[in-house]
């Protein structure tokens, strides 16, 4: 890694919560940060211009999807993902590992790699650590991820073997990479087992990579188990490297993650919820289709400065939903993304101010995460 | 009509082609102009901010749809359509007449009005000239349209009776209206029959309304018939009022309309085509799904300055289409709208320059309107 291209500066800590700056070739990422996901080289329903207006800095794309369609070569011919999808800020690609295990009906893992069936057309493919790195080098994101196995979290023996394989694959990824302008992050695995997580955190940290990810969480374990694992790995990870909690998540998960030393989060949740008419507010999620919004002149969230809240009433958004207008997904996506980005920006400021504990407690107190009790 | 709120200035004529300015309470409309259609209080798949970036000035909305859903009262409570959908420029609502005849399976027309069944939920409704005006006053667009009957174009006797009814309804609309900040346009009907069109043009012109529309075209007649009718009414319509050709249309129809004295056009075509992956270019329509675009690094249309063409390749757009990403509809809609708006802006400049004949001939020469021979 070229130290001039990537660097992490830890500006302030409050207990485990951290405020920092991760410098990449496409700009600085102020942490903690929430990264929206552009699975197929687009954050669903929003343009890059709209995405930029939400305050987004880091944007994800999925190697598995792009490898299958449209293929990494086409994107490389465009000069990489930044140019293909016209995102000029920092980008991150995952390794494809998670999707191979979650999306593909048929897959066979061995120590060399994974053979799997495309969820799109049923064609057979094989991903290895070397191929994942090669594909990610073609995609050209600033941050690339090691190819790992994301095991079911609660099988101790399987997680032990799987973790060893993930570690071996990480070393192969380190060897395989050729580009100096991409930062390879290793991934801590080990399911819900503290002793495995400790071993994995120590191994991944020992490689002195520019960043460390925590994988295999938010995949079915309880919130308490997730928090416990974060608390186990936090003291073992290097202080001078960014920590990325993969696939998380909800507003309360983000705050709980920051509290436990996480710097970077990503999730499809804000855009997926938007397509189901659900929006974040300071007091919990609301479903805008709810008839109580029929004549509501309020914005989704009072005080929110997003394009949607500055311009449109809940009544208008509900009308768009009922009338099946695409604009509903766009406007709610813009709000939900900006909500999480602003939440992380506010958390960062409170860490710098030394008031994160109060900030986090107040948020967790007022935000009702119970999805069954949708607020309106 | 308040002369201070509405005025039309004819700046230059070249044969029948006209360049002018229509002043409204929400801004000036430079004519000739293409107006995108926001049927349900949204131009499909684009935000008002994106719409403004296309150069749009006048935007339409459909009274029939908004009357049924969400209802005119809700929009009135928002202070009208401008505030409801956040379009700050000039707006126009149609009368609901056309949709009653085109969308409703069951309808019964009498001299008082039309009874029809909602295409949404089958409920029965009745629209009259008075109710149409009342609804449009609640919606609050700058330009409102007289309630008319849009008859099948080739039945002489029916068109004669229908035209008489439309004229009687126009007089009732004039009587019914109460707002000084809205310009009521009358509508010339008469099918494909020159003698009826002449009579209708003379009658509507005699009322000295702030603008005149030509209805009942682009509803199944041939292009030649449409052109003939435009040529029949052109010399009979007042020179000092804007002329609006309703529901038209395609690039070639716009140029042919300008050539025959039309100032204002509207159509769902650019956004509807976009949702079917078709885009305008200077040489004709292309379908971006066509495999020839798979590795095309060109924009949709060389020389186009829209957001889509400035940023994205055909290969990227095709990828979005194949991947069923909503962003495809948004980006192609932006292009198609800007294409028609720019076409009218260029036509206007050529009229001011006295070169419209050359401009129109060159466009009609290079633009292949045959939809069956999609260019790629």
């Amino acid at each position: 890694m070229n130290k001039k291209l990537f660097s992490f500066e830890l500006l302030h800590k409050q207990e485990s919560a951290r405020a920092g700056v991760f410098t990449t070739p496409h700009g600085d990422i102020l942490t903690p940060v929430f990264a929206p996901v552009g699975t197929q080289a687009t954050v669903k329903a929003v343009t890059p211009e709209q995405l930029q207006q939400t305050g987004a800095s880091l944007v994800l794309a999925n190697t598995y999807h792009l490898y299958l369609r449209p293929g990494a070569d086409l994107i490389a011919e465009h000069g990489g993902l930044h140019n293909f999808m016209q995102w000029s800020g920092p980008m991150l690609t995952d390794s494809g590992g998670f999707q191979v295990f979650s999306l593909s009906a048929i897959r066979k893992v061995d120590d060399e790699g994974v053979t799997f069936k495309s969820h799109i057309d049923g064609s057979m493919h094989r991903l290895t650590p070397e191929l994942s790195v090669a594909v990610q080098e073609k995609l050209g994101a600033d941050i690339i991820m090691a190819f790992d196995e994301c095991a079911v979290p609660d099988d101790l023996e399987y997680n032990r073997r799987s973790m060893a394989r993930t570690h071996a694959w990480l070393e192969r990824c380190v060897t395989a990479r050729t580009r100096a302008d991409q930062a390879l992050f290793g991934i801590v695995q080990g399911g819900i087992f503290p002793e495995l997580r400790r071993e994995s955190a120590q191994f991944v940290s020992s490689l002195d990579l520019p960043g460390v990810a925590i994988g295999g969480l938010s995949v079915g374990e309880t919130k308490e188990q997730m928090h416990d694992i974060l608390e186990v790995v936090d003291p073992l990870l290097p202080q001078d490297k960014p920590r990325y909690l993969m696939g998380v998540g909800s507003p309360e998960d983000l705050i709980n993650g920051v509290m436990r030393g996480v710097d970077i989060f990503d999730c499809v949740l804000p855009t997926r919820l938007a397509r189901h008419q659900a929006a974040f507010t300071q007091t919990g999620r609301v479903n805008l289709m709810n008839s109580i919004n029929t004549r509501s002149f309020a914005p989704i969230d009072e005080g929110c400065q997003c394009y949607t809240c500055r311009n449109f009433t809940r009544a208008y958004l509900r009308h768009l939903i009922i009338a099946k207008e695409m604009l509903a997904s766009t406007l709610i996506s813009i709000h939900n993304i900006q909500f999480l980005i602003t939440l992380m920006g506010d958390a960062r400021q409170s860490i710098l101010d030394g008031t994160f504990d109060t900030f986090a407690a107040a948020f967790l107190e007022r935000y009702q995460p119970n999805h069954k009790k949708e607020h309106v």
Side-chain angles (χ1 to χ4, degrees), chain A:
Chain A
M1 184 197 59
N2 188 327
K3 289 286 176 193
K4 289 171 200 149
L5 292 173
F6 295 95
S7 63
F8 181 72
E9 187 182 0
L10 182 60
L11 298 174
H12 200 73
K13 272 194 79 175
Q14 187 179 357
E15 298 179 20
S16 287
R18 299 147 47 94
V21 185
F22 187 55
T23 299
T24 80
H26 286 85
D28 287 349
I29 303 166
L30 307 185
T31 61
V33 69
F34 175 78
V37 178
T39 298
Q40 305 191 103
T42 161
V43 175
K44 288 189 193 301
V46 303
T47 65
E49 188 176 62
Q50 290 167 329
L51 193 57
Q52 192 172 24
Q53 289 174 6
T54 66
S57 55
L58 178 64
V59 172
L60 253 75
N62 290 122
T63 292
Y64 169 89
H65 290 86
L66 296 172
Y67 163 77
L68 292 177
R69 190 174 62 191
D73 286 335
L74 179 67
I75 294 172
E77 289 166 27
H78 277 77
L81 263 179
H82 287 94
N83 202 38
F84 186 60
M85 67 182 279
Q86 290 287 299
W87 181 251
S88 58
M91 289 200 71
L92 182 155
T93 47
D94 59 10
S95 68
F98 180 75
Q99 281 75 24
V100 165
F101 290 94
S102 62
L103 288 181
S104 178
I106 297 179
R107 61 181 178 270
K108 189 172 174 308
V109 60
D110 56 63
D111 285 344
E112 281 306 298
V114 190
T115 303
F116 65 97
K117 197 166 175 172
S118 159
H119 76 292
I120 298 169
D121 62 6
S123 57
M124 294 305 297
H125 298 268
R126 182 165 171 81
L127 263 180
T128 62
E130 289 75 15
L131 181 58
S132 172
V133 167
V135 170
Q136 291 187 78
E137 292 197 337
K138 287 179 181 173
L139 299 178
D142 302 271
I143 302 170
I144 64 175
M145 301 303 301
F147 190 66
D148 64 334
E149 181 177 1
C150 187
V152 283
D154 55 358
D155 179 332
L156 175 61
E157 275 320 300
Y158 192 87
N159 269 276
R160 193 187 306 278
R161 289 196 305 277
S162 168
M163 184 188 76
R165 180 181 282 151
T166 286
H167 292 173
W169 287 359
L170 172 54
E171 291 183 310
R172 284 164 58 188
C173 288
V174 171
T175 305
R177 60 195 299 265
T178 65
R179 284 179 66 161
D181 61 345
Q182 294 183 303
L184 173 69
F185 282 25
I187 303 177
V188 173
Q189 289 285 0
I192 55 167
F193 306 102
E195 66 277 24
L196 297 186
R197 288 287 181 175
R198 261 184 223 108
E199 185 183 338
S200 189
Q202 282 162 339
F203 175 80
V204 174
S205 300
S206 74
L207 297 188
D208 194 29
L209 294 163
V212 178
I214 304 156
L217 289 179
S218 202
V219 293
E221 81 287 355
T222 66
K223 299 278 186 191
E224 289 67 29
Q225 287 171 324
M226 178 165 81
H227 298 165
D228 289 348
I229 294 302
L230 292 178
E231 287 165 18
V232 163
V233 300
D234 172 31
L236 301 174
L237 298 180
Q239 287 295 326
D240 60 347
K241 305 286 174 65
R243 296 101 170 264
Y244 162 34
L245 177 55
M246 304 183 78
V248 173
S250 64
E252 69 276 16
D253 286 349
L254 265 58
I255 294 295
N256 277 305
V258 171
M259 203 181 284
R260 291 164 177 84
V262 175
D263 304 306
I264 301 174
F265 303 86
D266 82 284
C267 198
V268 297
L269 191 67
T271 46
R272 179 170 292 167
L273 284 179
R275 297 195 303 283
H276 293 88
Q277 300 92 44
F280 298 128
T281 79
Q282 287 294 325
T283 53
R285 266 160 54 176
V286 300
N287 194 304
L288 293 164
M289 188 129 89
N290 192 309
S291 65
I292 205 168
N293 296 308
T294 306
R295 306 194 96 78
S296 169
F297 296 83
I300 296 173
D301 195 30
E302 296 286 357
C304 176
Q305 292 304 309
C306 81
Y307 175 69
T308 305
C309 288
R310 278 187 286 110
N311 285 283
F312 303 100
T313 64
R314 290 184 174 207
Y316 179 69
L317 296 169
R318 183 172 186 275
H319 161 66
L320 295 180
I321 292 164
I322 301 282
K324 301 198 190 318
E325 287 285 354
M326 275 190 273
L327 187 61
S329 294
T330 299
L331 293 179
I332 306 171
S333 293
I334 286 171
H335 168 76
N336 282 351
I337 292 169
Q338 186 154 337
F339 184 92
L340 293 185
I341 284 168
T342 304
L343 181 63
M344 288 297 89
D346 291 348
R348 184 177 197 270
Q349 190 56 52
S350 76
I351 297 167
L352 293 173
D353 295 343
T355 56
F356 176 72
D357 49 352
T358 332
F359 172 86
F363 183 83
L364 294 175
E365 169 69 22
R366 72 173 173 268
Y367 189 87
Q368 277 292 334
N370 186 338
H371 306 155
K372 287 174 188 127
K373 293 191 201 159
E374 297 276 22
H375 286 228
V376 286

